[in-house]
């Protein structure tokens, strides 16, 4: 454990953290705890894995790029220079440590202390009094080989990582990782959103279409079909590199009109330098999204849809700091009708791939859970999945709500479980967090007399949700 010696308060993360009943404790400690991790959706930078990066200090690995922490710091009155600005790494950490006590009841408080304990054996509460010693102890450990990126992944018993990659990416770092003999699989995920969403920005759209055509070796003639051919070729390349999943981050599904000619005309308008009208944009997005979905089905991939984020709300600070810096929120988009139309269109010709639907607005949990049931056809166990609590929902209340909706409307036993959805190499205790919450949920039902105390079956269930279901479902 930590070498910190003073009156610092010991951590509240006990062996039985979040496990309120004896059944929950048995399920976690005897069954869930030892299961490996498949992180089938994250945003880890593959170059840092390939190069086995060694971080200089705790701020670099913990605060750089973490808009969850930045949002909390700003809310606590911390100036931007300590979040994304020119303050020193120590000054940034000092401000984060001063913010931590104010994050109580925010999941950041739990994650922070889980990460300190699991990675660094720091068993004290982080606050201004302990900040300097914790920073120096963790930063010193980060200088050692046991804390390189690859070593951190081994420490958490990770077996598979699926990064999130644009079709134009060379995947050179994935190739480096493969050639290095690294025992943890690091696979690309095909995220082609720019090919759809840039249609309202003609200059950016044209530049993107030209770039993907160049990367794919497709002659660019200023036509929609050049883009489609390039996407097919890049999809093939991702498959050759081990890719088995696609992903989309959308406000809602596009399913207004499936018409190649309408998409062709909209692309022509954009490539000529004008903005297509809304109807044309929606027809273009719907048609291209359908095209991408049929590609996934043809290769037996899994398609993922992250639905419901309202992004880039603060235009003033977006202009200053750019996207993914903490200005997004939950949206209240209508989801059911377009989802139904889109999935039915694919299913009608038996071209609906394995699909995971992630919902950001918990008010739509039952909508998503029942939509999943419409298209599970018995061909694959849990073919259509209601994905785990995502982003603003990957906390205790959000995870419980998602699992309760899934339990009530579908089969929790066939759930493929948790992922990190993170850019941080210190985020893997989120899997532990999820497993403890899962075991506590089931344990409560047993002790309330709502489920039988059939420990072999319940133990198998939590092991399946923790690891086995994902292993079988994705076929890595």
């Amino acid at each position: 454990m930590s070498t910190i010696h003073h009156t610092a308060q010991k951590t509240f993360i006990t062996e039985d953290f979040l496990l309120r009943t004896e059944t929950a404790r048995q399920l976690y400690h005897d069954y869930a705890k030892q299961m490996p991790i498949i992180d089938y959706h994250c945003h880890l930078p593959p170059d840092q894995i390939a190069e086995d990066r060694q971080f200089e200090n705790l701020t670099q690995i913990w605060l750089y790029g973490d808009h969850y922490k930045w949002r909390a710091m700003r809310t606590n009155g911390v100036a931007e220079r300590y979040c994304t600005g020119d303050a020193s790494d120590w000054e940034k950490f000092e401000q984060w440590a001063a913010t931590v006590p104010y994050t109580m009841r925010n999941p950041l408080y739990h994650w922070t202390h889980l990460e300190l304990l699991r990675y660094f054996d720091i068993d004290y509460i982080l606050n201004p009094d302990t900040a300097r010693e914790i920073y120096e102890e963790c930063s010193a450990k980060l200088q050692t080989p046991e804390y390189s990126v690859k070593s951190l992944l081994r420490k958490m018993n990770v077996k598979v990582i699926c990064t999130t990659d644009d079709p134009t990416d060379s995947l050179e770092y994935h190739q480096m990782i493969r050639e290095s003999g690294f025992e943890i699989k690091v696979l690309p995920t095909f995220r082609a959103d720019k090919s759809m969403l840039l249609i309202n920005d003609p200059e950016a759209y044209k530049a993107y279409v030209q770039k993907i055509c160049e990367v794919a070796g497709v002659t660019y003639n200023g036509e929609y079909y050049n883009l489609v051919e390039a996407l097919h070729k890049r999809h093939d390349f991702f498959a050759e590199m081990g890719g088995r999943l696609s992903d989309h981050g959308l406000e809602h599904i596009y399913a207004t009109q499936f018409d190649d000619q309408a998409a062709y005309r909209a692309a022509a308008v954009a490539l000529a330098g004008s903005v297509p009208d809304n109807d044309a944009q929606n027809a273009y997005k719907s048609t291209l999204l359908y095209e991408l979905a049929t590609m996934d089905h043809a290769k037996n991939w899994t398609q993922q849809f992250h639905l419901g984020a309202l992004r880039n709300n603060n235009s003033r600070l977006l202009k200053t700091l750019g996207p993914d810096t903490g200005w997004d929120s939950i949206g209240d988009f209508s989801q059911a009708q377009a989802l139904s139309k889109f999935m039915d269109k694919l299913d009608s010709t038996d071209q609906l791939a394995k699909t995971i639907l992630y919902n950001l607005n918990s008010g739509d949990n039952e909508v998503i859970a029942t939509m999943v049931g419409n298209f599970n056809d018995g061909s694959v166990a849990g073919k259509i999945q209601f994905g785990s609590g995502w982003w603003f929902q990957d906390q205790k209340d959000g995870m419980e709500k998602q699992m309760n909706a899934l339990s009530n409307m579908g089969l929790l036993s066939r759930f493929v479980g948790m992922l990190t959805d993170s850019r941080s190499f210190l985020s893997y205790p989120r899997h532990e967090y999820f497993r403890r919450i899962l075991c506590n949920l089931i344990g409560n039902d047993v002790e309330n007399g709502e489920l039988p105390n059939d420990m072999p079956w319940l133990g198998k269930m939590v092991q399946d949700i923790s690891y086995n279901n994902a292993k079988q479902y994705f076929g890595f």
Side-chain angles (χ1 to χ4, degrees):
M1 285 296 175
S2 169
T3 58
I4 296 171
H5 297 293
H6 50 46
T7 58
Q9 184 179 350
K10 281 278 191 176
T11 185
F12 60 99
I13 307 287
T14 65
E15 187 178 73
D16 295 330
F17 175 58
L18 298 179
L19 305 171
R20 296 178 190 154
T21 65
E22 182 55 39
T23 305
R25 290 188 279 272
Q26 188 176 352
L27 283 171
Y28 179 73
H29 292 299
D30 293 351
Y31 293 95
K33 182 179 180 180
Q34 72 266 26
M35 299 305 289
I37 288 173
I38 292 177
D39 191 15
Y40 56 88
H41 174 73
C42 73
H43 299 274
L44 292 178
D47 59 319
Q48 294 183 7
I49 302 174
E51 295 163 358
D52 199 16
R53 179 174 174 181
Q54 202 92 39
F55 289 88
E56 293 177 24
N57 58 55
L58 188 52
T59 298
Q60 290 185 9
I61 194 172
W62 220 21
L63 272 74
Y64 280 24
D66 191 339
H67 52 80
Y68 286 70
K69 292 187 177 75
W70 297 341
R71 281 171 72 103
M73 291 166 73
R74 292 164 184 148
T75 303
N76 200 42
V78 174
E80 191 62 35
R81 70 179 295 259
Y82 299 104
C83 300
T84 62
D86 60 358
S88 69
D89 285 347
W90 159 247
E91 289 174 317
K92 289 178 178 179
F93 184 82
E94 186 177 32
Q95 291 297 322
W96 167 239
T99 298
V100 167
Y102 293 91
T103 67
M104 283 190 179
R105 299 204 84 240
N106 183 293
L108 283 166
Y109 195 77
H110 285 168
W111 295 346
T112 292
H113 293 98
L114 270 172
E115 290 166 17
L116 286 172
L117 188 60
R118 297 295 177 245
Y119 287 101
F120 301 101
D121 293 324
I122 299 289
D123 58 347
Y124 289 94
I125 299 294
L126 175 59
N127 57 39
D129 293 335
T130 60
R132 174 60 80 173
E133 287 177 276
I134 287 175
Y135 181 79
E136 290 180 356
E137 182 170 326
C138 292
S139 297
K141 287 179 176 177
L142 286 166
Q143 303 292 315
T144 66
E146 291 78 14
Y147 283 82
S148 71
V149 159
K150 289 183 178 179
S151 296
L152 290 171
L153 296 173
R154 292 186 185 105
K155 184 181 181 73
M156 291 293 109
N157 199 17
V158 180
K159 298 299 183 186
V160 182
I161 294 167
C162 295
T163 59
T164 303
D165 311 276
D166 191 273
T168 60
D169 196 297
S170 68
L171 304 187
E172 60 186 294
Y173 294 109
H174 291 82
Q175 184 66 31
M176 286 173 60
I177 295 166
R178 178 189 284 189
E179 292 175 352
S180 74
F182 187 41
E183 69 276 14
I184 298 172
K185 288 185 178 180
V186 181
L187 307 175
T189 296
F190 195 75
R191 179 120 174 205
D193 289 356
K194 287 182 180 178
S195 63
M196 287 186 299
L197 301 182
L198 289 177
I199 190 70
N200 66 347
D201 184 342
E203 185 177 345
Y205 178 71
K206 182 176 181 179
Y208 185 81
V209 174
Q210 289 175 328
K211 181 178 180 181
I212 194 171
C213 286
E214 179 184 346
V215 171
V218 171
T219 302
Y220 171 71
N221 296 320
E223 296 185 352
Y224 169 71
Y225 299 112
N226 303 148
L227 171 63
V228 172
E229 182 184 356
L231 285 167
H232 273 274
K233 289 195 171 186
R234 297 308 292 170
H235 198 274
D236 291 343
F237 177 63
F238 272 57
E240 292 168 12
M241 293 296 294
R244 295 291 179 271
L245 295 93
S246 69
D247 180 55
H248 299 283
L250 306 173
E251 293 179 346
H252 53 80
I253 291 290
Y254 300 106
T256 56
Q257 184 181 358
F258 305 104
D259 183 341
D260 280 355
Q261 287 304 310
Y264 178 92
R265 290 191 294 272
V269 170
L271 291 170
S274 299
V275 178
D277 64 35
N278 285 337
D279 288 345
Q281 287 186 38
N282 286 329
Y284 169 86
K285 292 173 184 176
S286 302
T287 304
L288 188 53
L289 187 62
Y290 173 79
E291 183 77 29
L292 292 163
T294 61
M295 292 185 211
D296 292 340
H297 178 267
K299 290 193 176 69
N300 194 29
W301 280 18
T302 298
Q303 57 183 353
Q304 301 173 95
F305 296 98
H306 287 81
L307 304 175
L310 185 62
R311 300 177 189 270
N312 304 327
N313 294 274
N314 190 321
S315 58
R316 175 177 63 87
L317 291 168
L318 177 68
K319 289 176 184 175
T320 305
L321 301 172
D324 301 320
T325 53
W327 315 112
D328 307 327
S329 66
I330 295 170
D332 54 355
F333 308 102
S334 176
Q335 300 290 355
Q337 205 163 30
L339 253 176
S340 174
K341 186 176 179 181
F342 177 72
M343 295 176 78
D344 186 57
K345 168 76 170 172
L346 291 162
D347 186 76
S348 66
T349 54
D350 196 20
Q351 289 181 288
L352 178 58
K354 290 179 289 184
T355 303
I356 306 177
L357 303 175
Y358 304 92
N359 173 46
L360 197 57
N361 189 332
S362 62
D364 290 328
N365 278 351
E366 283 74 16
V367 170
I368 301 297
T370 55
M371 188 63 65
V372 162
N374 294 330
F375 297 98
N376 270 315
D377 56 12
S379 60
V380 176
K383 175 182 175 180
I384 314 299
Q385 291 273 331
F386 180 12
S388 61
W390 167 51
W391 199 344
F392 295 109
Q393 302 299 337
D394 63 355
Q395 29 76 9
K396 184 173 180 289
D397 181 60
M399 288 188 220
E400 288 177 343
K401 285 178 178 175
Q402 184 270 341
M403 285 191 278
N404 282 329
L406 175 55
S407 299
N408 288 328
M409 314 293 175
L411 297 182
L412 180 66
S413 303
R414 291 298 189 178
F415 182 29
V416 293
M418 190 56 177
L419 43 86
T420 64
D421 191 27
S422 175
R423 292 169 174 80
S424 170
F425 290 100
L426 298 185
S427 63
Y428 282 96
R430 292 185 193 179
H431 281 259
E432 173 187 340
Y433 195 56
F434 167 83
R435 292 174 186 183
R436 287 176 179 271
I437 292 166
L438 168 67
C439 292
N440 190 65
L441 205 63
I442 295 170
N444 285 342
D445 286 349
V446 172
E447 307 245 350
N448 290 338
E450 297 174 40
L451 290 176
N453 191 4
D454 182 351
M455 195 53 63
W457 179 258
L458 295 174
K460 177 184 183 300
M461 180 178 171
V462 301
Q463 288 187 329
D464 287 348
I465 295 168
S466 298
Y467 176 74
N468 295 327
N469 286 346
K471 182 181 179 183
Q472 180 178 352
Y473 184 79
F474 297 111
F476 296 126

